[in-house]
């Protein structure tokens, strides 16, 4: 399980993110927005399908079915069709010849690590993953602590999933008009508001509002995370840069449930950790607002 998550799932995320960033030198934000939308739809479809198979046949059958579907299908398609960029198969962009097509350039991964922007965006994305994984695992228990029945938990999942898809569309649109740091600051503001309000939920509409804000914030984070690295640091070392950021988000996702469980064990409630995390998120939002992005000549110079 650890190897499938750490090597399989994480590697798939890094490769897919880097592939889109390597291929699209123009309209990258639009391409990443579509990527995020398709990914969200895929998750929304996969969960009930796999869940039904698990309940009917057990998890071994479900996992084996996924594996056998991937081996002859997507593995073969990837091997035959996927390339690093359009220049690798002789495609030309409009008004561009093979000889005048710019070479991929950008920061090395060491240079990216020396920029405040890398750390602000990586930490902000990781903090969202920490929050989402912790709340996702204990959501039913969190709502039960506030006096809500289990059915409200399932309702909140639907609201969050739908608004996450809306967030993908809206975030993709805003990413073409706003600077990435401004959009990340807005995202952290939404997340901080949701965390600060969570301990005070009393009615079902309030739970729906919380789930909606979390969904929107999640949709924004997905779009930002998918589009920022290639835009800011170029294509030459994109895989390594995305891999480092992805590693941070995976570690944060693992820490989230442990943090919430420890807080509940010590204090008897989840409220304290939400207030602390809300403060951390506010600081990250302020950092995102003021951080300097890499200058235009290094930020996606091919676009």
């Amino acid at each position: 399980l650890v190897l499938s998550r750490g090597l399989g799932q994480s590697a798939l995320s890094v490769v897919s993110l880097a592939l889109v960033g390597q291929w699209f030198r123009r309209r990258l934000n639009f391409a990443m927005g579509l990527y995020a939308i398709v990914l969200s739809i895929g998750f929304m479809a996969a969960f009930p399908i796999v869940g039904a198979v698990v309940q009917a046949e057990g998890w071994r059958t479900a996992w084996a079915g996924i594996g056998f579907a991937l081996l002859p299908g997507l593995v073969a398609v990837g091997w035959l069709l996927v390339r690093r960029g359009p220049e690798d198969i002789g495609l030309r962009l409009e008004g561009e010849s093979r000889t005048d097509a710019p070479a991929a350039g950008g920061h090395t991964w060491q240079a990216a690590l020396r920029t405040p922007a890398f750390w602000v965006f990586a930490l902000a994305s990781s903090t969202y993953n920490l929050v989402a994984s912790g709340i996702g695992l204990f959501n039913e228990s969190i709502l039960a602590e506030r006096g809500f029945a289990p059915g409200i938990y399932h309702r909140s999942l639907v609201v969050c999933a739908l608004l996450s898809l809306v967030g993908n569309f809206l975030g993709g649109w805003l990413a073409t008009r706003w600077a990435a740091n401004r959009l990340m600051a807005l995202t952290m503001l939404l997340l901080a508001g949701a965390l600060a309000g969570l301990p005070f939920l009393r009615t079902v509409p309030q739970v729906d509002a919380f789930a909606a804000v979390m969904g929107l914030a999640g949709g924004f984070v997905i779009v930002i995370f998918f589009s920022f690295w290639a835009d800011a640091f170029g294509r030459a070392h994109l895989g390594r840069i995305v891999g480092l950021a992805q590693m941070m988000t995976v570690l944060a996702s693992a820490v989230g449930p442990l943090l919430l469980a420890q807080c509940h064990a010590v204090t008897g409630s989840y409220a304290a950790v939400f207030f602390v995390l809300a403060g951390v998120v506010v600081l990250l939002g302020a950092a995102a607002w003021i951080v300097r992005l890499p200058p235009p000549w290094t930020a996606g110079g091919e676009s």
Side-chain angles (χ1 to χ4, degrees):
L1 179 62
V2 172
L3 290 175
S4 68
R5 292 289 300 273
L7 299 181
Q9 181 178 333
S10 297
L12 180 60
S13 298
V14 172
V15 170
S16 59
L17 283 172
L19 178 64
V20 179
Q22 289 284 358
W23 188 279
F24 288 93
R25 298 185 304 206
R26 295 182 172 90
R27 299 183 180 179
L28 176 62
N29 286 330
F30 180 75
M32 283 297 188
L34 289 179
Y35 175 100
I37 291 166
V38 173
L39 185 71
S40 296
I41 294 174
F43 271 113
M44 292 170 66
F47 281 129
I49 294 173
V50 175
V53 175
V54 169
Q55 289 184 348
E57 304 291 340
W59 68 267
R60 289 180 174 83
T61 301
W63 274 31
I66 295 171
F68 285 119
L70 291 175
L71 281 173
L74 293 181
V75 171
V77 170
W79 181 268
L80 293 173
L81 300 182
V82 173
R83 297 294 181 269
R84 184 179 180 88
E87 61 273 12
D88 286 355
I89 57 174
L91 292 181
R92 293 182 298 180
L93 301 176
E94 183 179 354
E96 180 182 273
S97 69
R98 287 295 303 275
T99 56
D100 62 19
H107 289 267
T108 64
W109 65 271
Q110 297 97 328
L113 288 179
R114 291 194 291 269
T115 64
F118 174 89
W119 293 104
V120 169
F121 278 78
L123 287 172
S125 301
S126 298
T127 302
Y128 174 80
N129 276 18
L130 183 151
V131 169
S133 65
I135 292 178
L137 185 62
F138 293 111
N139 201 359
E140 186 173 357
S141 175
I142 293 167
L143 293 178
E145 185 178 279
R146 309 258 62 80
F148 295 102
I152 304 302
Y153 157 68
H154 297 105
R155 172 182 172 136
S156 71
L157 290 180
V158 174
V159 173
C160 189
L162 291 175
L163 267 295
S164 178
L165 192 58
V166 172
N168 291 154
F169 281 102
L170 182 58
W173 180 77
L174 289 173
T176 64
R177 289 159 175 79
W178 290 11
N181 60 327
R182 300 294 190 257
L183 185 55
M184 181 60 88
L186 172 62
T187 303
M188 293 295 102
L189 178 64
L190 291 173
L191 181 58
L195 287 170
L198 181 53
F200 301 103
L201 299 181
R202 295 291 183 272
T203 66
V204 173
Q206 290 175 349
V207 175
D208 290 342
F210 164 78
V213 174
M214 285 294 296
L216 278 177
F220 286 173
V221 167
I222 290 173
V223 171
I224 297 168
F225 189 84
F226 288 176
S227 62
F228 172 72
W229 312 109
D231 253 359
F233 302 115
R235 301 166 61 213
H237 302 273
L238 183 61
R240 294 182 180 182
I241 295 170
V242 171
L244 290 168
Q246 180 73 10
M247 179 185 70
M248 293 175 61
T249 63
V250 170
L251 291 174
S253 296
V255 170
L258 297 176
L259 187 63
L260 265 66
Q262 186 65 25
C263 177
H264 191 274
V266 172
T267 68
S269 171
Y270 297 104
V273 72
F274 294 138
F275 291 133
V276 172
L277 287 173
V280 172
V281 170
V282 167
L283 293 177
L284 288 170
W289 183 267
I290 65 176
V291 72
R292 293 183 59 186
L293 300 179
W297 64 273
T298 58
E302 299 89 351
S303 60

